[in-house]
Amino acid sequence: MVVMRQSDLESFLAVARHGSFRAAARERGMTGSALSQTVRALEEELHVRLFNRTTRSVVPTEAGHLLVSRLTPALADIRACLEEVRSMGGTPSGQVRMNAPAPALDWLIAPHLPGFLETYPGISVEIIEDARNVDIVAEGYDLGIRLGLEMAQDMIALPLGPEQDYAVVASPAFLDGAGRPEVPEDLAGFDCIRHRFPSGTIFPWQFHKEGEDIAMVPSGRLTVNNARHAVAAAVAGIGLARVALPYAQDALVRGQLVRVLTDFSPRLPAWHLYYPSRRHMPPALRAFIDFFTQAARQSPDQM
């Protein structure tokens, strides 16, 4: 009969998740040699190699992939069950790990985070800003936030705020010099401030014209990876930018920016908080979900 400690199995999953013994050791609070010995002992116990190791990478074998796929949900259930029992003696406790893009964090999470941490002193929160479409289960997250059409079908999703409004903006001085685009096709003749996703792709600008959806990749001399930088560049007169409306709102009110192509800007799906279905939901995760969905309902105009 194979008897293994939960901590050893968690260490194995950390190595698989990071693809690195060094990174996994930092997460687990262990030395690299101790973690390597733990995995080696697990392989000896199971009589099978779990990782193919080279000087540059650590990749799960077929057996390793199988173990990851079975252990990930099983250990999540065990952790949730333990946290549920532990919380029966008081307020919810534990850790919540979340993955979300910057706009959702800036406008839906950050404003309410101090209140959450004050309400639940036993819960710690780890937030990773990330615009990729990640597998939150495989990468060790409890939940994520994405636009309504960007989630895996096997996830439970809850709307977090209203539909999104993205605005094309430019400074008055830029428009005085370059002219004003009247229809989306006019953008081909304008310097646009582009936004590159972590995946390497350029953020396409979406419009709705005469019943049809239009998506185009803008051209321009400046490319950034942060909406605030795009707004600052637009205020400086570098070009047109397309950002979530809240990022540009203050500059619009002050007259530093002007919105264009408003009639062609479609409303995009609302942000959704999503998480995998579990037999046992950790009390800390339940508290987090309830708190932030309620906060979103009470602040309908924040996005």
Side-chain angles (χ1 to χ4, degrees), residues 108 144-149 151 157-161 269-274:
L108 295 171
I145 298 178
R146 291 296 183 275
L147 290 176
L149 302 179
M151 293 161 294
L158 301 171
L160 202 63
W271 293 108
H272 280 63
L273 183 154
Y274 70 103

Side-chain angles (χ1 to χ4, degrees), residues 82-93 283:
L82 293 174
E83 289 297 340
E84 187 174 356
V85 172
R86 184 178 295 114
S87 295
M88 292 176 68
T91 58
S93 62

Side-chain angles (χ1 to χ4, degrees), residues 92 96 116 120 123 142-143 156 158 273 275 278 281-293:
V96 175
F116 176 79
Y120 297 101
I123 299 177
D142 296 297
L143 73 162
I156 297 173
L158 301 171
L273 183 154
Y275 56 96
R278 288 177 178 171
M281 177 178 285
L285 179 57
R286 169 50 63 195
F288 189 95
I289 291 170
D290 290 346
F291 185 94
F292 283 94
T293 53

Side-chain angles (χ1 to χ4, degrees), residues 197-216:
F197 287 129
S199 64
T201 60
I202 297 295
F203 177 46
W205 292 16
Q206 297 176 337
F207 301 96
H208 192 78
K209 179 184 177 185
E210 298 176 353
E212 294 186 5
D213 292 325
I214 301 171
M216 60 179 64

